[in-house]
Amino acid sequence: QVQLVESGGGLVQAGGSLRLSCVASGRTFSSYAMGWFRQAPGKEREFVAAISRSGGSTNYADSVKGRFITSRDSAKNVVYLQMNSLKPEDTAVYYCAIERFGGLGIRSEEYTYWGQGTQVTVSS
């Protein structure tokens, strides 16, 4: 049984920063690429960022390029999403997941073992 747990969400003013963390319960995921997705009320789940198993390659949605940075610490089995210059449009529940095929794809169907999500709310 695999469970991913996201944390670090909260309420922040526009222009502020938050750092999200994703950790595994039951097994490690350092050998897998990982992805971040978000879902706002009434909207489809959308791709945010992905990081390779080594941490050497990343992929970002156009909406967050230059503002968000994903990284990982293999020794700690933790994946991070550093979010800077936050905008109200970033308000959503953020999820992490394991990539199934070894790539950095943007489609949610390529990922599995979704976490429960952490709420990020950005006020204006």
Side-chain angles (χ1 to χ4, degrees):
Q1 189 71 253
V2 176
Q3 181 176 352
L4 302 180
V5 179
E6 302 92 339
S7 63
L11 175 64
V12 65
Q13 292 186 352
S17 298
L18 287 172
R19 188 178 73 166
L20 307 184
S21 299
C22 175
V23 299
S25 176
R27 66 170 291 171
T28 62
F29 53 76
S30 59
S31 61
Y32 298 95
M34 299 290 296
W36 290 96
F37 289 76
R38 66 187 182 186
Q39 187 166 24
K43 302 294 183 181
E44 297 290 329
R45 185 172 296 183
E46 65 175 351
F47 172 79
V48 176
I51 185 168
S52 66
R53 64 191 69 186
S54 69
S57 298
T58 55
N59 189 23
Y60 297 95
D62 289 342
S63 59
V64 306
K65 285 181 179 178
R67 299 189 298 120
F68 291 10
I69 301 171
T70 187
S71 61
R72 67 194 306 165
D73 186 331
S74 297
K76 297 180 179 179
N77 197 33
V78 178
V79 178
Y80 301 103
L81 182 67
Q82 178 67 46
M83 305 184 295
N84 302 313
S85 302
L86 283 162
K87 305 174 181 179
E89 307 93 271
D90 297 318
T91 296
V93 177
Y94 284 70
Y95 301 89
C96 64
I98 295 173
E99 207 281 326
R100 297 194 293 152
F101 307 116
L104 299 176
I106 65 173
R107 299 176 69 249
S108 62
E109 292 82 2
E110 299 177 18
Y111 295 81
T112 190
Y113 297 115
W114 297 88
Q116 87 290 345
T118 185
Q119 177 70 50
V120 172
T121 303
V122 184
S123 65
S124 59

